[in-house]
Amino acid sequence: MVPRLFHARPRGVHPDDRKALSAAMPVETLPLPSILRVSMAQHLGAPATPVVKKGEAVRRGQRIGAASGFISAHVHAPTSGTVKAVQDAPTLSGPPAPAVDIEPDGEDAWTDLQPCPAWRNTPAAALVERIAEAGVVGMGGAGFPTHVKLQPPPEKHIDTLIINGAECEPYLTADYRLMLEDPQRIWTGACIIAHVLGVERVRIAIEDNKPDAIAAMAGVVREFKGDAAVVSLETLYPQGAEKQQIRALLGREVPSGGLPMDVGALVENVATACAVHDAVLTGQPLIERIVTVTGTPVQRPKNVRARIGTCFNDLAGFCGGLKGAAKLIAGGPMMGLAQPSLDGAVTKTASGVLALASEECTAFESLPCIGCGRCIAACPAGLVPAELSLYLEAEDYEAAAACHVMDCIECGCCAYVCPARRPMVQHMRRGKAWAAARSRSR
Amino acid sequence: MVIGGAGLVCGAALAFAARFLAVHEDPRIEKVLDILPGANCGGCAYAGCADYARAIVVDNAPINLCAPGGQEVIDRLAAFLGVASQTRERNVAIVLCGGDDEHAGRKFDYNGIADCAAAHAVAGGDKQCVFGCLGYGTCARVCPVGAIEITPQRIARVHPDVCIGCGACVDACPRHLIRLVPAERRIHVLCSSKDKGPRVKEVCTVGCIGCTRCTRLAENEAIRMDGALAVVDYSKDLESEAVIEKCPTRCIVKR
Ligand code: SF4
Ligand code: SF4
Ligand code: SF4
């Protein structure tokens, strides 16, 4: 095994953040669309199994997909209506997965909810159960089921909870608006998570380019008795990445192949904290989220509160439509998933829909590595992307695994700085897929 | 000095060991290995030619498993080993998709890694038809004899006279489009789409639309429907070329 590089300072890049397009837009709620397509694969792990049939009537918040394994999550009806179809549909990342199409009946009638206002006197296991029941997953991007994260093995001692409000992806402002408009909900959610884990120390991490969000969160944290603080992070992409954030905040390095809990930390995104609040205090499952619809082709960029399953087309229409869009991305420009059309639908992890005009996306050809070393200086994971990409190009997966391809967080910094325009992240993903398949077969 | 001495001692020990511990191999293994073509393709399901040679001599493995060697090698092996010659059914690969760039559309400009598996992982591939050949030549790169051509219209096509039937391409294709079929079967339905007719028509002009006409024209029920897709049953004789002429989208071909 080749050792990983250790940089004294955090590494990353400074892309133009372009947040001004939508940052000032208060969150608007999208009226119920005519159809909702709810994917069963919105989280990391096994897709949920549909538990409703075509023609069935469902109520808002009713479970329509059941978790199908330890790492999986339930899926719920975003509104009341009729199931129009249960069929495979392409996911945002491509490969098809089961999806449930629901035609809203306009009533938006809730199923029976079980609120739990006395959470402070409720045992942790019961709260975790509620969070699992509500289908809460990490809403920052990866979609790791939250209830799994909240049950660390007993030998792992977690001492710090980090609530992640960095939102380091350019263009996206969904978490920013949430922090400005609903800091109390985030904070209560954070307190519930802290209570479940029994941790005393809570840190809310926000990049220093969002001073008003820092102020808003500091306002609610002030009333807390334990050791809680809002910490401003240097604006640097990818400060929102778990391991990078732990390092910046606590000075602890997550070991190669390890998890944050190995160094006593747990990171949850601000929107996830909000979902935990809802799951416990009101019993509401995760059926909506804030989506930033932005980019120069979008006529009126907005932050939209949309039901899970809302078609991107409906979102674009709500924002005045698109003019001259050449490229569509679900998520942000650095880590988002390119989309062939606006047919995709909002998932629990879809923080944004970004459109780019043709002059903003150059058609390029990728060239051989010129050995400039810029990617090495940029890689926040301390990898040597140039070497990795050469191995992966030659399909020498063994060598790539020995150079820690599994520690790549797919942040895209290497591709961003590469003057030869090499498809670095695609290489890394292939290498990671290979290494994951190998460890499964062992 | 010390190291040199140690080296000498070890060398002597090795020479001694080689002499007295040598495995006495059946000398026929060497001869059989000479007859095999040495392609080491693994098509016989053994770990290369030497492994197969040993299996023939020691385990009485069948002698008709070598694809590159063909009938000539089988005959020579039979003569050398003094057993009856056997015949070999020659299998060749076929790519069951005919929708090249002239007939089937792309849904976006892909400019990532030129590899089908990599392209398939980006939004399900750049082809409108989610079943069709992507044409980035992953199969062609694994073929040990260069039997697969990627045409200028970006579709993979196997040259049956060159193909040795090793099956490497079958495993490499992320769309599972390649099958090994008996070489004497010449008529194929060049489509693998599980979509229904109207959808197929939207994305490809040479796809199977599931009209079932060919199933009625083919003798021996040699073409059957699998959902909305006509599938050739390669275990049955199929000679009638009427199926080719009567297919409305011309997705049945003779190769
Ligand atoms: S994508 Fe992976 S290799 Fe490239 S900079 Fe990010 S962590 Fe490093
Ligand atoms: S790789 Fe495929 S085309 Fe090439 S020889 Fe083997 S079976 Fe035939
Ligand atoms: S047959 Fe499969 S592997 Fe070969 S070019 Fe087509 S999609 Fe790629």
Side-chain angles (χ1 to χ4, degrees):
Chain A
M1 274 275 181
V2 189
R4 270 197 310 165
L5 304 179
F6 183 84
H7 299 299
R9 273 187 44 72
R11 298 291 168 123
V13 294
H14 292 98
D16 181 359
D17 77 9
R18 307 270 170 104
K19 291 188 193 265
L21 279 168
S22 58
M25 306 301 295
V27 177
E28 286 179 51
T29 302
L30 180 86
L32 276 179
S34 57
I35 191 88
L36 292 162
R37 170 160 289 181
V38 187
S39 172
M40 294 292 120
Q42 304 186 38
H43 46 264
L44 211 77
T49 316
V51 292
V52 289
K53 283 194 210 64
K54 183 175 169 179
E56 209 171 302
V58 293
R59 293 175 77 81
R60 180 177 181 189
Q62 177 184 334
R63 191 199 288 181
I64 55 173
S68 60
F70 178 60
I71 301 189
S72 184
H74 298 315
V75 178
H76 303 82
T79 183
S80 60
T82 316
V83 176
K84 279 283 146 193
V86 180
Q87 62 192 19
D88 280 2
T91 52
L92 296 180
S93 56
V100 174
D101 291 355
I102 295 176
E103 185 179 56
D105 59 11
E107 315 255 311
D108 216 10
W110 280 103
T111 172
D112 293 333
L113 301 177
Q114 260 107 45
C116 173
W119 57 269
R120 281 180 207 275
N121 308 319
T122 308
L127 292 174
V128 170
E129 178 106 347
R130 279 172 177 276
I131 292 166
E133 191 48 50
V136 180
V137 305
M139 292 164 76
F144 194 84
T146 304
H147 66 279
V148 180
K149 233 170 158 177
L150 294 184
Q151 301 175 72
E155 70 275 13
K156 305 277 182 206
H157 177 69
I158 294 178
D159 58 27
T160 309
L161 168 66
I162 300 175
I163 298 296
N164 183 355
E167 201 167 52
C168 57
E169 267 278 350
Y171 286 97
L172 302 185
T173 53
D175 287 352
Y176 167 72
R177 289 310 312 183
L178 184 65
M179 290 188 280
L180 281 190
E181 297 177 27
D182 242 340
Q184 188 61 53
R185 246 166 98 216
I186 299 174
W187 178 241
T188 309
C191 292
I192 297 172
I193 299 172
H195 172 69
V196 167
L197 295 169
V199 301
E200 294 292 308
R201 192 149 69 137
V202 182
R203 293 285 177 269
I204 299 178
I206 305 172
E207 282 191 335
D208 57 11
N209 61 352
K210 303 184 237 326
D212 39 353
I214 296 178
M217 290 310 300
V220 293
V221 170
R222 210 168 296 139
E223 288 129 47
F224 183 67
K225 281 162 213 71
D227 175 12
V230 178
V231 190
S232 97
L233 292 173
E234 176 196 353
T235 299
L236 172 75
Y237 178 85
Q239 288 284 41
E242 275 190 340
K243 296 177 185 173
Q244 282 57 41
Q245 202 162 68
I246 291 168
R247 200 187 123 134
L249 240 49
L250 308 175
R252 302 178 190 164
E253 186 90 5
V254 178
S256 175
L259 292 169
M261 63 179 171
D262 295 331
V263 293
L266 191 128
V267 184
E268 286 292 0
N269 161 274
V270 286
T272 315
C274 233
V276 166
H277 163 279
D278 296 351
V280 173
L281 268 113
T282 64
Q284 289 175 10
L286 175 47
I287 54 165
E288 63 181 25
R289 68 158 299 139
I290 304 174
V291 185
T292 303
V293 185
T294 186
T296 47
V298 179
Q299 296 304 292
R300 287 191 299 280
K302 284 179 183 175
N303 299 293
V304 185
R305 178 171 286 113
R307 301 290 164 94
I308 303 298
T310 303
C311 181
F312 289 166
N313 222 340
D314 293 327
L315 280 176
F318 186 61
C319 298
L322 305 183
K323 221 182 240 153
K327 188 167 188 175
L328 298 165
I329 300 171
M334 297 296 285
M335 290 194 69
L337 299 161
Q339 298 295 306
S341 69
L342 280 173
D343 293 342
V346 174
T347 63
K348 295 174 184 176
T349 57
S351 42
V353 177
L354 170 64
L356 297 174
S358 60
E359 60 275 14
E360 292 172 310
C361 32
T362 44
F364 57 83
E365 202 185 323
S366 67
L367 302 168
C369 172
I370 57 169
C372 68
R374 287 184 214 185
C375 54
I376 306 170
C379 178
L383 305 179
V384 183
E387 188 185 10
L388 275 170
S389 77
L390 291 176
Y391 288 142
L392 290 164
E393 204 163 37
E395 302 187 350
D396 187 349
Y397 295 108
E398 293 286 349
C403 292
H404 309 281
V405 70
M406 280 310 274
D407 285 331
C408 167
I409 58 169
E410 302 177 25
C411 64
C413 289
C414 49
Y416 181 76
V417 297
C418 178
R421 306 268 201 170
R422 291 167 61 73
M424 303 298 261
V425 185
Q426 207 187 4
H427 280 306
M428 305 302 164
R429 285 203 181 129
R430 278 178 92 199
K432 287 174 76 174
W434 179 88
R438 183 184 63 169
S439 64
R440 268 199 303 276
S441 69
R442 267 186 187 168
Chain B
M1 228 351 239
V2 177
I3 294 174
L8 264 182
V9 174
C10 290
L14 273 178
F16 180 80
R19 214 180 169 104
F20 288 90
L21 302 177
V23 185
H24 290 285
E25 270 203 349
D26 191 321
R28 290 181 301 166
I29 295 179
E30 194 74 13
K31 286 270 159 48
V32 168
L33 185 53
D34 280 346
I35 297 174
L36 291 175
N40 281 320
C41 67
C44 51
Y46 290 93
C49 297
D51 197 28
Y52 181 37
R54 178 164 298 118
I56 289 177
V57 174
V58 181
D59 306 331
N60 283 322
I63 59 171
N64 62 348
L65 299 180
C66 176
Q71 196 59 44
E72 189 202 325
V73 163
I74 299 174
D75 293 343
R76 283 176 60 200
L77 285 173
F80 172 70
L81 296 165
V83 297
S85 184
Q86 300 167 357
T87 51
R88 181 186 158 80
E89 190 179 82
R90 197 169 88 91
N91 280 332
V92 292
I94 173 99
V95 179
L96 293 177
C97 170
D100 59 12
D101 279 0
E102 228 164 86
H103 301 99
R106 301 262 167 181
K107 62 181 172 201
F108 55 89
D109 285 334
Y110 170 77
N111 75 341
I113 302 169
D115 170 76
C116 302
H120 181 65
V122 176
D126 57 342
K127 199 141 185 159
Q128 278 179 3
C129 171
V130 297
F131 301 97
C133 172
L134 294 166
Y136 295 106
T138 301
C139 51
R141 280 197 297 281
V142 300
C143 177
V145 294
I148 305 182
E149 175 197 354
I150 302 296
T151 71
Q153 290 78 35
R154 287 203 288 177
I155 195 164
R157 183 173 178 158
V158 179
H159 289 275
D161 39 337
V162 186
C163 173
I164 57 173
C166 70
C169 55
V170 175
D171 298 331
C173 175
R175 302 271 205 167
H176 309 296
L177 290 175
I178 310 184
R179 269 187 73 175
L180 284 180
V181 303
E184 69 271 17
R185 297 275 178 266
R186 305 280 307 282
I187 295 178
H188 311 282
V189 177
L190 282 197
C191 180
S192 298
S193 171
K194 295 208 170 71
D195 278 333
K196 298 211 172 73
R199 171 70 190 155
V200 173
K201 271 194 166 155
E202 270 170 44
V203 296
C204 177
T205 56
V206 290
C208 170
I209 53 171
C211 71
T212 73
R213 214 176 286 179
C214 56
T215 60
R216 278 172 271 129
L217 291 168
E219 68 267 31
N220 309 322
E221 297 186 326
I223 302 184
R224 284 175 295 114
M225 296 306 295
D226 176 8
L229 177 67
V231 181
V232 175
D233 181 346
Y234 287 100
S235 67
K236 310 244 171 79
D237 281 330
L238 173 59
E239 299 293 337
S240 101
E241 295 188 10
V243 292
I244 300 177
E245 272 121 51
K246 290 284 153 53
C247 172
T249 60
R250 293 262 162 188
C251 75
I252 306 185
V253 300
K254 183 165 186 175
R255 285 212 170 140

